[in-house]
Amino acid sequence: MQIDEAREVRTTCPYCGVGCGVLAKVAANGEITVRGDPDHPANFGRLCSKGSALAETIDLDGRLLYPEIHGRRTDWDEALDLVASTFSQTIAEHGPGSVAFYVSGQLLTEDYYVANKLMKGFIGSANIDTNSRLCMASSVAGHRRAFGSDTVPGNYEDLELADLIVLVGSNLAWCHPVLYQRIAAAREKRPEMKVVLIDPRRTMTSDIADIHLAIAPDGDVALFTGLLAYLGQHNALDRTYITAHTTGFGQALFAASALDLAGIAAATGLSEDELARFYSLFAATAKTVTVYSQGVNQSSSGTDKVNAIINCHLATGRIGKPGAGPFSVTGQPNAMGGREVGGMANMLAAHMEIENPAHRNRVQRFWNAPTVAEKPGLKAVEMFQAVADGRIKALWIMATNPVDSMPDADAVEAAIKACPFVVVSDVLGETDTVRHAHVRLPAAAWGEKDGTVTNSERRISRQRAFLARPGEARPDWWIIAEVAKRMGFGEAFSHVSPADIFAEHAALSGFENDGARDFTIGAYAGIDAGTYEKLAPFQWPAPSQGTPLWPAGHLLRKGGDWMSPPASQIVTVAEKAVPAKLPISPLAGEMAGRPEGGAWRQPEDKSTRFFANGNFYTPDGKARFIAIRPAAQTRTNPDYPLVLNTGRVRDHWHTMTRTGKSPRLSQHMAEPFVEIHPADAQHYGIGDADIVRVSTAHGEVLVRALVTVRQRQGSVFVPMHWTNQFSARSRVDALVAPTTDAISGQPASKNVAARIERFAATAFGFAVLAERPASIDADYWGLARCPAGWRLEIALQDSRDWTVFAASLLGMEGETLAYHDIAGGHHRFARFAGSRLVGALYLAPTPVAVSRGWAVEQLGADHADRQARLAIVAGRPGGKSVDRGAIVCACFGVGANQIAEAVRGGCTSVAAIGAALHAGTNCGSCRAEIKTIIDGRRLQAAE
């Protein structure tokens, strides 16, 4: 790409649902750097470790650059013709229910809109579902049951205004670090703010919690129905709100009273004292926000959990008010945008209902479509079961990796392999899913594509391109539209730009919308390309009968000055004025001066909170209490006596197709692992760093043991990120049963019956390699990027000819140093090409004791001094060399040994460590780990 001058582009992070603004700077030489956008209302300049490392993930290594048919490179015309003709023929022979799209929260809203329009309005089936089904479908179902619409009532500002924040099933410190830091900053200003963490694990989020309730798996329904009963018993209800704005309270309260405090304690695994403390705190605190995420949603009772939480907020009138409300935080960057366009099997576009004939008629007339699907389609788990049994004969997968992320993943892979026709649109040429595609379509990646995303607080932001598309990669909306044209629907898919699609999406949201539907951005229905390019972040609702509500450029700064967005969101760096230094939160308060609550149907009300004054989207305008009785969900049995919980780690994302490219993001957790409580580890004869076989009725994985008191006894935790691209046998979703919530269809990924046993390895190894090995002949291996190469952990059950094994990893060329202790079973190899280290391998009969961080750094060092090369064989620095230790702060590359040394030198607080080493001063997601090291050193000193 020819660049004449440096420029900086305002865009949005492609990771979680926080929706952080990013400034991507393109230097004249093409170098890319990123930083947080200080003017974006979601993050005010903050970025997490993943967002900070975005520039490391945009290389072309592994990119799918050209269309392929059966592995053969082809041109777009042949590929698109084949896709269109095969889908058309399949529909003609077997009906519209024989085809399906499986899409992704990684798509932009414009991509999602076109895909949904094609499937529901022109193919005539609702067989389009999304990986968002795995993340927030239970929240959608709970919202719709209670509110009559999928409406998130509050805003991020509520997290700073609340006096009590209840975090339920949310490791905010690692999964939504910017929101965690907003809470931490607010609490520093108001130490009286209280935080309660409800999670079976003592995650790093517990560092901020006043109370940690280590609840039993799926104990949330009992906990919150018990809370509702407590509120009723202690006269902590807002009876005025209940009477004026809700129905069904009596039935809900009666159902909630099924268990007494002792019964709730038994169902939750908590003590009666813990329950009483939490219940009394909630009852006494008017400004309460309950934040929930995957621990609530990913459950066979996920929808009931959501409604149990919402019931408590309705009963106290704590909804739609500053600092009060239930708050679902989404896991993906555009799960909300997908919900807005109807990109799930049981939804229509613009928050309309597929079961409602009037809604179907409205959408059909607006699209001028030949038909509209009349019933919900197959949800994600059902969809792949239909692929397996032959009902789905043509499948198009877009921007997701279901072979690794779906439950019962081995069965999903087998289904895809057996499907007669599979199309995959992706940015990478090799994923565990792409390799099974008959047609591979190269999609544009982040930095190359243009569109919008919606974050967890209903804020719509632009993603803008700042890189040229490589090869023949194309935007997803273009690919879908071209297929639609070839299927005979050209007039309806004649869009020439994302701006055209966004304008149509906005127009549909306002079409015949007199206020009966919550979602409207009708004010943008006439948007042109120039205005779309300049579009500043804004929250919906933005109804067509008035000015768009509160775009970021209209927010009041502290001091009374107004922010104005630049004329263009692409700014020439040389011409850019140096901005005044801003505090981390530059606004006087996004909601300052706005009336509380209320839907947009009241034209004089410019609030972007909902429901403080009722106005729900039900036929009678009242919220529905849902009567819920807690039911036991015991899944363990003598064969599988433990509970397997799956989830995420701090620096990785989904199946690592993006974060796996970043060396710094791969250093914090470099291999798959299982967290085990010390008592369970002792019972099963497992030591720290052993290799562990985790098994369920559906499969098994091999992972590294991490023994920690943070894990609840009787449960184990395995992260979901590792795939066959980065490990041997660690795809944990292959272990998860295809059990779903009966209402939402969301899989239960956090309560799976499992067992563990020590894997009888006879040899363990660690290697650093300048090049990725073509193959790894080991029972267990975990591969991760590192600066200047790769790092590799291995374990083997059988002995080998270690010299031959080393050659398979390090190659045959160059000079080799080797050390052998045959009696002790220790072997070490280092191979050099000139003064460059090609690779080093360390083998031992027990987990290898090597200074890993230091060994990784040697790949980029000069080794002309032959005598100094002996240190590499030794596996530890000699002389004055420094071993940073395991990386704690990914943003600045600070290791545990450096932090421990600083503590010994007198740094006794997280702030002091930050001042000395910068650790914890960027995204802040490592602050809890820094505190753990400090506390550990204090304990050692006391002893």
Side-chain angles (χ1 to χ4, degrees):
M1 180 178 182
Q2 183 65 37
I3 300 173
D4 298 323
E5 54 189 356
R7 55 203 180 97
E8 195 165 62
V9 178
R10 291 181 186 274
T11 187
T12 308
C13 180
Y15 287 119
C16 75
V18 176
C20 294
V22 174
L23 294 176
K25 182 178 178 181
V26 184
N29 65 357
E31 181 182 357
I32 308 296
T33 55
V34 300
R35 63 187 178 98
D37 184 348
D39 293 334
H40 197 288
N43 59 315
F44 302 120
R46 292 185 178 96
L47 288 178
C48 72
S49 58
K50 294 184 287 291
S52 298
L54 275 167
E56 298 177 18
T57 68
I58 55 178
D59 61 51
L60 299 184
D61 185 28
R63 281 294 296 272
L64 179 61
L65 297 175
Y66 305 95
E68 296 179 4
I69 297 175
H70 297 295
R72 168 183 61 83
R73 177 176 167 178
T74 186
D75 58 29
W76 273 108
D77 281 335
E78 184 184 11
L80 294 169
D81 286 346
L82 178 61
V83 174
S85 63
T86 304
F87 268 75
S88 295
Q89 182 178 351
T90 303
I91 293 164
E93 294 177 1
H94 304 285
S98 64
V99 300
F101 295 169
Y102 186 64
V103 299
S104 166
Q106 297 288 300
L107 293 178
L108 303 184
T109 298
E110 293 76 4
D111 306 324
Y112 248 132
Y113 180 87
V114 176
N116 184 61
K117 179 180 177 179
L118 174 58
M119 179 56 76
K120 292 200 176 111
F122 290 82
I123 291 174
S125 167
N127 283 347
I128 174 172
D129 212 48
T130 166
N131 61 8
S132 300
R133 178 73 58 188
L134 315 181
C135 146
M136 34 47 62
S138 292
S139 287
V140 174
H143 289 162
R144 293 174 70 179
R145 284 209 297 182
F147 308 147
S149 60
D150 177 21
T151 311
V152 175
N155 302 294
Y156 291 161
E157 186 193 40
D158 294 327
L159 303 177
E160 297 160 330
L161 298 177
D163 294 325
L164 170 63
I165 294 178
V166 183
L167 301 172
V168 192
S170 172
N171 186 6
L172 213 64
W174 277 18
C175 299
H176 299 93
V178 169
L179 294 186
Y180 176 84
Q181 289 306 317
R182 286 185 69 161
I183 295 171
R187 194 172 186 195
E188 286 180 6
K189 296 175 183 176
R190 294 193 298 117
E192 66 275 14
M193 176 193 284
K194 301 296 183 184
V195 178
V196 175
L197 174 66
I198 300 169
D199 197 308
R201 301 166 62 218
R202 188 170 181 82
T203 65
M204 288 301 170
T205 303
S206 66
D207 181 58
I208 203 175
D210 299 281
I211 302 172
H212 172 221
L213 301 178
I215 195 168
D218 281 333
D220 311 84
V221 170
L223 179 67
F224 282 94
T225 54
L227 174 57
L228 182 63
Y230 180 96
L231 296 170
Q233 294 161 5
H234 291 78
N235 197 29
L237 304 171
D238 186 337
R239 294 193 178 274
T240 300
Y241 189 92
I242 292 170
T243 301
H245 302 307
T246 72
T247 61
F249 173 70
Q251 297 93 321
L253 185 61
F254 179 78
S257 303
L259 293 179
D260 58 13
L261 197 63
I264 297 166
T268 61
L270 304 172
S271 70
E272 293 186 26
D273 286 345
E274 287 177 309
L275 292 169
R277 186 182 176 196
F278 168 54
Y279 287 174
S280 63
L281 181 61
F282 189 102
T285 311
K287 297 176 74 172
T288 297
V289 175
T290 302
V291 178
Y292 61 92
S293 191
Q294 311 300 19
V296 168
N297 295 329
Q298 290 181 334
S299 167
S300 58
S301 58
T303 304
D304 279 351
K305 290 183 184 184
V306 171
N307 286 116
I309 291 168
I310 291 173
N311 281 351
C312 295
H313 281 270
L314 292 174
T316 52
R318 298 173 188 170
I319 187 167
K321 299 175 182 178
F327 205 128
S328 162
V329 289
T330 53
Q332 293 199 81
N334 204 29
M336 291 285 280
R339 289 148 71 170
E340 291 160 8
V341 304
M344 301 178 79
N346 57 323
M347 305 172 78
L348 272 184
H351 281 201
M352 285 182 270
E353 300 169 0
I354 202 167
E355 303 90 345
N356 187 318
H359 289 188
R360 295 198 303 269
N361 176 267
R362 180 181 298 122
V363 173
Q364 184 174 358
R365 284 186 289 111
F366 182 87
W367 281 342
N368 193 24
T371 183
V372 165
E374 296 184 352
K375 62 181 181 179
L378 297 169
K379 298 169 186 173
V381 170
E382 300 168 333
M383 180 180 290
F384 285 100
Q385 290 171 341
V387 174
D389 65 27
R391 283 175 289 157
I392 300 296
K393 302 178 187 302
L395 175 66
W396 190 348
I397 299 168
M398 306 178 198
T400 187
N401 194 8
V403 167
D404 296 318
S405 58
M406 283 290 295
D408 201 10
D410 285 345
V412 169
E413 181 172 32
I416 293 172
K417 289 171 67 175
C419 186
F421 189 65
V422 177
V423 182
V424 177
S425 307
D426 210 316
V427 301
L428 292 182
E430 274 297 324
T431 72
D432 292 349
T433 298
V434 168
R435 64 186 178 186
H436 300 306
H438 302 102
V439 179
R440 303 178 185 183
L441 302 176
W446 181 82
E448 302 159 8
K449 58 186 180 178
D450 207 28
T452 57
V453 293
T454 306
N455 74 358
S456 294
E457 63 166 353
R458 294 173 280 105
R459 188 176 300 281
I460 295 173
S461 299
R462 288 276 280 109
Q463 270 194 23
R464 294 181 174 87
F466 54 88
L467 296 169
R469 294 193 300 269
E472 295 180 9
R474 296 290 184 270
D476 288 282
W477 69 262
W478 181 90
I479 300 170
I480 300 161
E482 287 299 312
V483 170
K485 292 173 185 177
R486 286 163 168 81
M487 293 179 72
F489 310 127
E491 185 177 350
F493 293 87
S494 58
H495 313 96
V496 298
S497 71
D500 286 350
I501 303 168
F502 184 81
E504 181 179 319
H505 166 51
L508 177 55
S509 76
F511 182 55
E512 298 180 352
N513 190 351
D514 59 359
R517 307 197 304 272
D518 64 332
F519 174 68
T520 177
I521 54 172
Y524 295 93
I527 197 167
D528 58 26
T531 307
Y532 181 80
E533 176 55 37
K534 299 173 186 176
L535 187 65
F538 71 96
Q539 281 181 287
W540 61 262
S544 56
Q545 64 259 46
T547 303
L549 295 185
W550 302 94
H554 295 171
L555 290 168
L556 187 64
R557 280 192 192 276
K558 292 179 178 177
D561 296 325
W562 292 93
M563 283 170 46
S564 295
S568 171
Q569 301 299 325
I570 301 176
V571 181
T572 301
V573 172
E575 297 176 353
K576 185 177 180 182
V578 178
K581 187 174 182 181
L582 297 176
I584 196 69
S585 298
L587 307 183
E590 284 192 51
M591 305 301 129
R594 304 186 198 177
E596 295 178 6
W600 72 262
R601 66 183 73 179
Q602 302 171 8
E604 72 279 1
D605 180 4
K606 291 186 176 181
S607 173
T608 53
R609 291 187 182 89
F610 286 82
F611 308 140
N613 299 318
N615 294 312
F616 293 92
Y617 295 92
T618 53
D620 61 3
K622 294 186 176 185
R624 304 183 189 99
F625 278 94
I626 305 299
I628 302 167
R629 290 182 180 272
Q633 294 195 31
T634 302
R635 296 207 170 95
T636 56
N637 56 59
D639 290 331
Y640 299 103
L642 301 175
V643 170
L644 168 64
N645 175 12
T646 68
R648 299 175 178 176
V649 299
R650 189 188 77 189
D651 293 343
H652 277 309
W653 173 254
H654 285 196
T655 59
M656 297 199 294
T657 52
R658 182 182 287 117
T659 54
K661 287 173 166 281
S662 168
R664 66 166 133 160
L665 295 180
S666 300
Q667 301 313 299
H668 181 243
M669 297 291 186
E671 62 180 319
F673 63 91
V674 54
E675 284 187 0
I676 310 171
H677 188 275
D680 290 327
Q682 183 178 27
H683 177 77
Y684 291 101
I686 294 168
D688 208 13
D690 275 347
I691 303 301
V692 178
R693 178 184 283 110
V694 183
S695 307
T696 72
H698 291 268
E700 66 179 46
V701 295
L702 295 179
V703 287
R704 183 78 67 177
L706 176 57
V707 180
T708 172
V709 293
R710 289 182 172 271
Q711 182 56 251
R712 177 185 172 88
Q713 189 172 351
S715 295
V716 296
F717 172 82
V718 179
M720 53 85 70
H721 307 289
W722 275 268
T723 72
N724 287 342
Q725 307 299 312
F726 294 97
S727 60
R729 297 160 63 184
S730 303
R731 294 167 48 250
V732 72
D733 277 312
L735 277 60
V736 177
T739 303
T740 62
D741 180 281
I743 299 167
S744 70
Q746 181 158 357
S749 300
K750 293 184 171 293
N751 187 353
V752 182
R755 64 173 176 245
I756 58 174
E757 59 184 307
R758 182 178 178 274
F759 178 72
T762 61
F764 295 80
F766 172 72
V768 292
L769 306 164
E771 302 291 337
R772 177 174 180 143
S775 62
I776 303 168
D777 182 19
D779 299 295
Y780 166 85
W781 57 263
L783 187 67
R785 291 263 192 178
C786 65
W790 300 82
R791 57 184 291 175
L792 174 68
E793 301 281 353
I794 59 175
L796 304 102
Q797 207 160 19
D798 302 317
S799 183
R800 307 286 177 88
D801 181 323
W802 297 119
T803 300
V804 173
F805 182 79
S808 73
L809 294 176
L810 308 182
M812 302 291 291
E813 302 298 324
E815 179 184 353
T816 301
L817 295 179
Y819 164 83
H820 300 281
D821 173 4
I822 296 174
H826 295 267
H827 306 269
R828 300 191 173 193
F829 303 84
R831 181 155 287 159
F832 300 87
S835 62
R836 182 177 66 92
L837 177 65
V838 173
L841 172 65
Y842 308 88
L843 296 159
T846 57
V848 177
V850 170
S851 298
R852 283 166 168 74
W854 176 84
V856 161
E857 292 171 355
Q858 303 316 299
L859 288 172
D862 181 86
H863 299 285
D865 184 343
R866 292 177 174 273
Q867 188 65 27
R869 293 180 180 184
L870 296 176
I872 295 176
V873 178
R876 59 181 182 272
K880 297 181 179 180
S881 299
V882 176
D883 176 15
R884 292 183 295 170
I887 295 298
V888 173
C889 175
C891 295
F892 294 104
V894 180
N897 292 350
Q898 293 171 288
I899 295 169
E901 184 61 29
V903 174
R904 284 192 290 269
C907 294
T908 57
S909 69
V910 174
I913 294 293
L917 302 173
H918 300 295
T921 61
N922 183 39
C923 75
S925 55
C926 63
R927 290 168 64 89
E929 291 168 273
I930 295 171
K931 185 175 183 296
T932 298
I933 295 172
I934 294 170
D935 292 344
R937 290 292 168 183
R938 284 175 178 163
L939 183 62
Q940 288 180 8
E943 292 173 347

